[in-house]
């Protein structure tokens, strides 16, 4: 009955969603009485999706094998956490999560949004319902998570072992909150285009929602990167894989949107551009989801791939993105052009930020899809990978980081070059000193990481400069947010530069008893023994790592074999020190009693994710500051 | 013990469904003695696609063929061959698909020109947001 | 805002979505075809893979007679599936030579004893060296080589019964 209750809730939710769309449409056309019901309908719809999602979680936790999805992805021997997380470790479950978050986002607007003009709000909730309706249809007609199987199998097929990790409990929900949270910005843009209400008030209303989605997106990408780093066991944290790019593109668009929405809110500029970015950001979420689900690009992260579902998703892309862009084309001409501003000003820097972020977004998009385009036109297969993305996007990213040092030190409206140079000088000098120093210490370092490290350290100093000579207690929270987020970017970049330049890799075929030097560590191969877990058995190496005269650390990398489904994985063992990580992997038997060991010393690699955390924290501070200020002074809002 | 199949466990698309009993080729998991040569080989391996688990580079793949390709690359680099020549050798056999570094030719010039094109288009759009320089 | 610019995003999206539509419509092609078809067999000399049969060198393939070069391995399941077809081809007079990929003499001998021996010679490719030189990426794969040692055709995956006639024709054409 649980499955049927979930399915019934989904159908009811879809019906309410259709009602929400109708009521909103009539409301925008002038039926004010009807428009008042759109908020409760949105809340009711969200409650139903949450109920349906809860039912699915329950089915997974109870391992109800009469439900096809559970039988295919669950297993009674799995620990509770993975039975729970397996709910979304598959296509149907993750799409239900998508619809649930869409519903929740709509309900959140209905409950909390008080600043937006009522008519625009009605149109926005209509937009949210229009999006959700398509995904309801996708769920109910093409990926029903509650389908039964008869007879029920005696045991489930289990979950892909690579997904049997605490990362699964955290990464997809966070990423989805970000992906789908951007639907709010999309709906806002639709609402504003429908009512032709694009201005500072609209921007101020939209900003917290974009911030919230962006925080989750940042956390989701950071978590995903770390998860892949330790789970896949090759020491890499980013490979410019299509699926990784799919998560990066909405983030780039949302980051640009965050900055352009500030210009619109503060100076009434970049009107059309901000609306465009709001559409693009969620469009990138949908395109990303399509790329992941349809499997049209070869990816290492591909799971739950099904071309038939790809067709449905593609139709949704055409409908929503095409529709929004057509609305943009038809309506944007009637939106008054925004204010113009001086080149040397805060607005000027924010425009430069948008220009560069959009160019990087364009590069990632083109690079990701170029193989497809080439194959369509010429029939030959092509790969576009790290060498292209690093060379094409790297320099622009570095200019962006330099801009972090300059932009916040510029005044709004108009500034002059000479005083700006004085303000930027300390950071520039620091960066130059680091550049020369590192070049001297590591003469063979490549140019991009070298510049990256110097810029990171300069930008780290410059990013805290806006706090200089300010009363720190009276500094608004959103200024703190900006400072922390920018500092986080610098921290991440420093980690990236150090990892790419100073990582030491050691591959050895070692016998038990041998000792290997990697970076500052002496790693002693102390033993090898079988071990087992709830649904796997493994061979576990015992490695004793010593640094100088200190005590030995014990690391136990495993080569695991799962039996449901039968898969072999390697579990890396990582020791985190203050100045880096020792990363160890147990590989194959190399004959004559030797075992392949892969050892890395990765100096300051943790800064990459620490920076990601700081960026999200900065977003959270800014969000808190905006929400509090919004409550107090809804009218004036000078950043 | 069979080799570990990492991230590509789900993407076994080639005809190779089992692994041979032979040990890996000598240089597949052994670094070259000369650190410069090893670094050159490593950089190259990170940009060659594994033919078995097609979402990974051969540096990251545990497939046997990836190991043999690493051994081939290390041998050739150790023999003094330039990384570009080794890449060309592989591309000659498997096509441009095997290399994550797209060539620059009449098919890919647009890809390589994309950053400049985006910047120019962006500057053109941004120009409209700025006031003409004011006389004081 | 000029008309051209405000409709540009929609135009870009439609172009992009067309590429995605193509990507979805095209058959999933995961085989990697060798770019060596049409070129000369790379120079090689492989030791015998098992006792009782000679090894193989590139010179053996350029003596005026076409060959079917079959990459196989005793540890490869699909190679068992194609064994009957190789037998048919050998009986039809197609000269078949084998390349045993990453294999041991005893296991090759056991494989031949169990599934039949259509081969006139088998070279041992212990580190996939020839496989890579030929642009091959797995087992089983076969190449039709003409009498001058030029690669004419590549087949990927096991040879199925319906492929046999085509291969016989290709070998005949390669004379």
């Amino acid at each position: 009955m649980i499955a049927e209750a979930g399915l019934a809730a989904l159908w009811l939710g879809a019906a309410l969603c259709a009602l929400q769309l109708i009521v909103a449409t009539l409301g925008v056309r002038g039926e004010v009485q009807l428009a008042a019901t759109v908020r409760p309908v949105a809340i009711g719809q969200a409650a139903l999706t949450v109920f349906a999602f809860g039912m699915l979680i329950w089915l997974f936790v109870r391992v109800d094998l009469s439900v096809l999805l559970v039988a295919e992805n669950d297993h009674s021997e799995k620990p509770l956490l993975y039975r729970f997380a397996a709910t979304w470790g598959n296509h149907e479950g993750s799409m239900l999560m998508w619809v649930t978050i869409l519903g929740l986002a709509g309900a959140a607007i209905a409950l909390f949004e008080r600043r937006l003009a009522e008519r625009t709000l009605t149109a926005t909730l209509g937009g949210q319902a229009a999006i959700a309706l398509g995904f309801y249809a996708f769920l109910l007609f093409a990926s029903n998570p509650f389908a039964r199987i008869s007879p029920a199998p005696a045991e489930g097929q289990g979950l892909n072992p690579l997904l049997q990790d605490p990362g699964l409990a955290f990464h997809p929900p966070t990423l989805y909150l970000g992906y789908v949270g951007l639907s709010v910005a999309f709906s806002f843009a639709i609402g504003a285009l429908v009512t032709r209400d694009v201005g500072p008030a609209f921007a101020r209303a939209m900003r917290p929602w974009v911030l919230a989605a962006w925080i989750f997106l940042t956390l989701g990408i950071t978590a995903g990167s770390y998860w892949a780093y330790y789970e896949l066991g090759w020491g890499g944290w980013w490979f410019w894989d299509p699926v990784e790019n799919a998560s990066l593109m909405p983030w780039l668009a949302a980051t640009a949107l965050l900055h352009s929405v500030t210009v619109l809110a503060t100076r009434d500029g970049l009107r059309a551009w901000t609306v465009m970015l709001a559409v693009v950001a969620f469009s990138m979420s949908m395109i990303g989801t399509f790329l992941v689900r349809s499997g049209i690009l070869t990816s290492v992260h591909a799971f739950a791939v099904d071309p038939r579902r790809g067709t449905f998703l593609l139709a949704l892309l055409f409908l929503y993105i095409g529709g929004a862009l057509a609305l943009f084309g038809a309506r944007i001409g009637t939106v008054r052009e925004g204010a113009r501003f001086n080149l040397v000003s805060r607005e000027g820097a924010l425009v430069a930020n948008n220009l560069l972020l959009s160019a990087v977004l364009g590069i990632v998009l083109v690079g990701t899809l170029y193989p497809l385009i080439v194959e369509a036109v010429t029939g030959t297969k092509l790969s576009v990978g790290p060498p292209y993305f690093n060379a094409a996007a790297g320099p622009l990213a570095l200019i962006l980081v330099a801009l972090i040092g300059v932009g916040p030190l510029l005044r709004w409206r108009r500034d002059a070059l000479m005083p700006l140079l004085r303000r930027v000088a300390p950071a520039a000098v620091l960066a130059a000193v680091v550049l020369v120093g590192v070049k001297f210490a590591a003469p063979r370092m490549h140019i991009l990481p070298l510049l990256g490290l110097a810029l990171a350290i300069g930008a780290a100093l410059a990013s805290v400069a806006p706090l200089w000579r300010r009363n720190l207690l009276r500094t608004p929270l959103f200024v703190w947010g900006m400072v922390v987020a920018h500092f986080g970017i610098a921290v991440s970049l420093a980690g990236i530069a150090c990892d790419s330049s100073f990582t030491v890799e050691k591959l050895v075929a070692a016998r038990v008893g041998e000792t290997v030097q990697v970076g500052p560590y002496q790693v002693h191969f102390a033993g090898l023994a079988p071990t087992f877990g709830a649904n796997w058995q493994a061979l576990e190496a015992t490695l004793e790592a010593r640094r100088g005269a200190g005590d030995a650390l014990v690391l136990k990398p495993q080569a695991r074999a799962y039996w449901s489904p039968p898969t072999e994985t390697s579990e890396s063992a990582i020791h985190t020190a203050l100045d880096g990580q020792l990363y160890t992997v147990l590989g194959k038997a190399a004959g004559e009693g030797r075992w392949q060991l892969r050892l890395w010393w990765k100096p300051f690699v943790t800064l990459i994710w620490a920076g990601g955390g700081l960026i999200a924290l900065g977003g959270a501070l800014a969000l808190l500051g905006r929400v509090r200020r919004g409550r107090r002074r809804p009218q004036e809002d000078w950043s | 013990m069979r080799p570990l199949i990492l991230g590509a466990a789900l993407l076994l698309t080639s005809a190779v469904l089992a692994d041979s009993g032979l040990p890996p080729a000598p240089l597949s998991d052994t670094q070259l003695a000369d650190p410069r040569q090893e670094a050159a080989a490593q950089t190259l391996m990170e940009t060659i696609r594994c033919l078995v688990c097609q979402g990974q580079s051969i540096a990251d793949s545990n497939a046997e063929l990836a190991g043999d390709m690493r051994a081939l690359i290390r041998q050739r680099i150790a023999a003094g061959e330039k990384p570009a020549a080794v890449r060309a050798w592989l591309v000659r056999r498997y096509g441009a698909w095997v290399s994550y570094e797209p060539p620059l030719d009449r098919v890919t010039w647009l890809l390589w020109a994309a950053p400049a094109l985006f910047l120019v288009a962006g500057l053109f759009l941004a120009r409209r947001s700025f006031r003409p320089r004011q006389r004081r | 805002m000029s008309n051209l610019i405000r409709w540009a995003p929609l135009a870009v999206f439609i172009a992009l979505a067309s590429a995605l539509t193509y990507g979805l419509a095209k058959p999933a092609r995961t085989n990697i075809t060798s770019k060596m078809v049409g070129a000369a067999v790379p120079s090689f000399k492989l030791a015998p893979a098992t006792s009782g049969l000679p090894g193989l060198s590139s010179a053996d393939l350029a003596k005026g007679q076409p060959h079917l070069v079959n990459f196989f391995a005793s540890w490869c399941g699909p190679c068992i599936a194609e064994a009957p077809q190789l037998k048919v081809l050998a009986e039809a007079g197609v000269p078949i030579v084998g390349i045993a990929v990453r294999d041991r003499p005893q296991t090759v001998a056991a494989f031949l004893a169990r599934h039949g021996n259509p081969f006139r010679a088998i070279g041992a490719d212990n580190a996939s060296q020839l496989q890579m030189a030929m642009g091959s990426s797995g087992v089983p794969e076969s190449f039709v080589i003409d009498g001058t040692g030029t690669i004419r055709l590549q087949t990927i995956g096991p040879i199925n019964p319906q492929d046999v006639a085509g291969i016989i024709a290709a070998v005949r054409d390669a004379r």
Side-chain angles (χ1 to χ4, degrees):
Chain A
M1 277 316 285
I2 303 169
E4 283 68 29
L7 189 59
L10 262 189
W11 275 106
L12 265 177
L16 272 193
C17 186
L19 183 66
Q20 184 180 335
L21 179 57
I22 295 166
V23 167
T25 312
L26 294 174
V28 170
R29 294 216 171 143
E31 303 271 348
V32 184
Q33 301 274 297
L34 271 179
T37 60
V38 76
R39 286 188 198 240
V41 171
I43 295 164
Q45 192 231 101
L48 285 166
T49 58
V50 170
F51 177 79
F53 192 49
M55 291 299 106
L56 190 64
I57 292 176
W58 194 9
L59 290 169
F60 265 90
V61 169
R62 284 183 26 162
V63 197
D64 185 336
L65 296 167
S66 69
V67 173
L68 180 64
L69 191 66
V70 178
E72 280 173 350
N73 296 287
D74 211 358
H75 198 283
S76 58
E77 282 173 25
K78 267 195 325 197
L80 174 69
L81 178 68
Y82 302 144
R83 296 206 306 272
F84 175 71
T87 313
W88 51 80
N90 58 75
H91 167 78
E92 286 84 350
S94 65
M95 287 323 293
L96 178 56
M97 184 159 80
W98 176 287
V99 170
T100 306
I101 298 175
L102 264 180
L104 282 174
I109 302 173
L111 282 170
F112 302 118
E113 183 53 57
R114 292 281 174 266
R115 286 190 277 191
L116 201 59
E118 198 59 36
R119 189 155 169 265
T120 309
L121 180 104
T122 307
T124 300
L125 283 174
Q128 197 73 17
I131 302 168
L133 208 50
F135 285 95
Y136 270 113
F138 183 46
L139 260 185
L140 290 168
F141 298 123
S143 21
N144 176 11
F146 295 109
R148 293 273 188 188
I149 178 174
S150 179
E155 185 51 279
Q157 290 167 21
L159 176 72
N160 175 0
L162 284 172
L163 299 179
Q164 294 200 24
D165 185 275
L168 179 66
F170 181 68
H171 165 63
T174 331
L175 198 63
Y176 267 42
L177 278 169
Y179 261 27
V180 184
L182 287 175
S183 68
V184 177
F186 187 89
S187 298
F188 265 68
I190 302 293
L193 283 171
V194 166
T195 60
R196 297 184 178 84
D197 170 29
V198 182
F202 159 76
R204 277 196 290 271
M206 180 164 78
R207 180 160 52 190
W209 299 101
V210 179
L211 256 174
W214 180 84
I215 293 164
F216 284 116
L217 209 46
T218 308
L219 282 176
I221 295 173
T222 307
S225 160
Y226 192 69
W227 185 17
Y229 167 81
Y230 73 73
E231 182 68 25
L232 295 181
W234 66 61
W237 58 275
W238 193 264
F239 191 63
W240 295 106
D241 178 274
V243 169
E244 295 167 3
N245 293 350
S247 72
L248 181 63
M249 288 189 287
W251 187 85
L252 288 167
T255 310
L257 176 59
L258 268 185
H259 290 86
S260 85
V261 85
T262 299
V263 176
L264 181 54
T266 319
R267 300 277 291 120
D268 197 12
L270 302 183
R271 292 176 157 216
W273 178 245
T274 301
V275 170
M276 188 72 232
L277 274 180
V279 170
V280 166
F282 184 60
S283 300
M284 287 300 152
S285 296
M286 288 193 283
I287 289 178
T289 302
F290 169 77
L291 290 180
V292 177
R293 298 287 153 193
S294 65
I296 63 173
L297 295 166
T298 312
S299 161
V300 65
H301 304 285
F303 76 104
V305 158
D306 185 342
R308 279 180 302 121
R309 291 178 185 138
T311 315
F312 209 120
L313 275 174
L314 187 62
L316 292 183
L317 289 194
F318 268 106
L319 188 65
Y320 294 137
I321 306 178
L325 293 177
L327 184 66
F328 179 86
R331 279 290 167 89
I332 203 67
T334 63
V335 171
R336 194 169 54 78
E337 258 191 75
R340 298 187 167 211
F341 22 78
N342 289 296
L343 194 58
V344 183
S345 64
R346 178 78 70 87
E347 299 90 313
L350 287 167
V351 170
N353 150 296
N354 264 251
L355 173 64
L356 289 163
L357 277 171
S358 309
V360 173
L361 170 61
I363 289 166
V364 177
L365 184 64
V366 165
T368 307
L369 296 181
Y370 209 78
L372 213 64
I373 298 166
V374 166
E375 201 179 344
V377 176
T378 69
T380 55
K381 292 180 93 171
L382 185 77
S383 298
V384 178
Y388 172 77
F389 290 107
N390 291 340
L396 299 187
L398 291 187
I399 302 174
L400 265 168
V401 174
L403 210 54
I404 282 179
V406 180
L409 299 178
L410 277 164
R411 292 176 216 282
W412 290 98
R413 291 166 190 276
R414 185 187 299 162
D415 208 334
L417 273 179
M418 282 317 291
L420 170 68
L421 288 181
R422 270 199 299 278
R423 273 172 259 154
V424 174
V429 169
L430 179 65
V433 168
V434 171
L435 185 72
V436 173
V438 175
K439 181 75 198 163
F440 188 72
R444 292 199 10 243
M445 194 164 166
H446 287 291
I447 180 78
L448 275 183
L450 176 65
L451 285 174
L453 192 56
L455 270 174
I457 292 172
L461 178 66
S463 63
V464 296
L467 298 177
W468 181 246
R469 290 190 184 157
R470 269 185 111 136
N471 180 340
L472 293 185
L473 290 176
R474 298 197 55 187
T475 302
L477 263 183
F478 54 77
V479 173
W480 275 104
M482 173 189 75
V483 166
V484 171
H486 284 173
F487 186 75
I489 297 265
V491 167
S492 257
L493 179 62
I496 293 167
C498 287
D499 174 54
S500 76
S501 299
F502 306 129
T503 292
V504 183
E505 181 181 23
K506 258 297 189 341
L507 304 176
V508 285
R511 282 199 182 91
V512 171
E514 289 182 355
T515 300
V516 188
Q517 178 85 34
V518 54
Y521 286 93
Q522 295 270 352
V523 180
H524 178 67
F525 188 7
L528 191 72
T531 177
F532 60 90
N535 53 353
W536 49 266
Q537 53 189 16
L539 212 55
E540 184 177 82
T542 302
L543 303 176
E544 295 168 0
R546 271 194 187 76
R547 190 174 188 170
D551 284 341
L553 309 155
V554 178
L555 289 102
K556 296 190 165 184
Q558 295 175 345
R560 263 189 208 174
Y562 287 81
W563 52 77
S564 58
T567 314
E568 295 176 346
T569 70
S570 73
E571 298 292 310
S572 57
I574 300 175
H575 169 70
T576 306
L578 270 180
D579 58 343
Q581 286 188 327
L582 178 65
Y583 188 121
T584 64
V585 176
L586 172 65
K588 325 175 186 190
E592 299 162 16
R594 292 176 183 276
W595 291 84
Q596 196 65 47
L597 294 177
R598 294 181 84 174
L599 312 170
W600 285 273
W601 165 241
K602 293 175 157 291
F604 299 107
V605 68
T606 34
L607 292 185
I608 298 173
W609 306 288
L614 280 174
I615 298 169
L617 174 66
L621 290 175
L623 179 60
L624 201 61
R626 291 293 174 204
V627 170
R628 276 170 48 178
R629 174 156 297 209
R631 290 246 170 85
R632 250 181 300 151
R633 284 185 296 173
Q635 288 316 309
E636 326 149 43
D637 187 332
W638 294 90
S639 348
Chain B
M1 205 188 90
R2 278 161 54 206
L4 311 171
I5 301 159
L6 296 177
L10 312 152
L11 274 173
L12 271 176
T13 46
S14 149
V16 181
L17 291 169
D19 287 306
S20 74
L22 286 198
L27 282 175
S28 64
D29 294 305
T30 313
Q31 289 161 309
L32 294 173
D34 179 344
R36 271 185 197 227
Q37 285 188 336
E38 174 61 25
Q42 183 67 25
T43 308
L44 178 59
M45 291 185 299
E46 281 166 10
T47 63
I48 297 296
R49 198 190 272 271
C50 172
L51 300 163
V52 182
C53 30
Q54 300 178 356
Q56 285 175 300
S57 82
I58 55 168
D60 303 331
S61 170
N62 269 9
E64 283 194 322
L65 187 58
D68 287 342
M69 288 173 86
R70 289 197 297 269
L72 175 103
I73 285 174
R74 285 204 175 96
Q75 274 163 23
R76 285 176 173 255
I77 297 285
E81 216 171 303
K82 290 268 174 293
V86 182
R87 186 190 303 279
W89 189 90
L90 285 164
V91 169
R92 170 73 188 85
R93 278 149 182 84
Y94 294 108
W97 191 78
V98 78
S99 162
Y100 275 114
E101 184 177 289
L104 179 57
D105 57 27
R106 64 191 172 77
V107 175
T108 56
W109 67 267
L110 195 59
L111 176 70
W112 285 104
L117 293 178
F118 283 127
L119 283 181
V120 169
L123 284 172
F124 174 77
L125 280 177
R127 184 187 53 97
R128 305 149 57 97
S129 302
F130 293 105
R131 231 173 254 157
R133 193 159 266 251
Q134 287 173 336
R135 269 164 269 144
R136 312 221 165 147
Chain C
M1 185 176 261
S2 76
N3 268 332
L4 209 63
I5 290 181
R6 63 195 166 99
W7 292 104
L10 185 60
V12 170
F13 168 71
I14 289 175
L16 205 130
S18 315
L20 297 180
T21 310
Y22 164 80
L24 207 58
K26 81 174 159 82
R29 208 155 49 97
T30 47
N31 286 341
I32 302 129
T33 52
S34 172
K35 299 291 176 282
M36 294 295 279
V37 175
V41 168
S43 169
F44 71 91
K45 187 164 172 52
L46 295 180
T50 186
S51 56
L53 279 173
L56 192 67
S57 75
S58 46
D60 300 336
L61 296 173
K63 289 181 175 163
Q65 193 191 24
H67 286 89
L68 183 71
V69 177
N70 177 245
F71 284 85
F72 77 103
S74 66
W75 45 266
C76 142
C79 298
I80 299 170
E82 75 171 358
Q85 283 71 259
L86 288 179
K87 184 160 175 272
V88 172
L89 285 166
E91 282 163 1
V94 174
I96 304 177
V97 291
I99 308 289
V101 177
R102 302 188 64 89
D103 224 330
R104 295 174 203 278
Q106 313 88 297
T107 51
V108 171
F111 181 86
L112 298 180
R114 188 147 176 210
H115 304 290
N117 175 18
F119 302 111
R120 302 186 176 187
I122 305 178
D125 193 13
N126 289 340
S128 316
Q129 298 272 356
L130 179 63
Q131 184 156 50
M132 287 184 276
M134 296 273 282
S136 156
S137 53
V139 277
E141 279 189 26
S142 301
F143 292 85
V144 173
I145 316 277
D146 73 11
T148 65
T150 302
I151 303 171
R152 289 293 191 85
L153 180 79
Q154 179 195 23
T155 66
I156 297 171
I159 295 171
N160 294 316
Q162 63 267 31
D163 303 331
V164 169
I167 290 173
I168 292 175
V171 172
R172 195 188 327 112
D173 293 346
R175 262 178 228 285

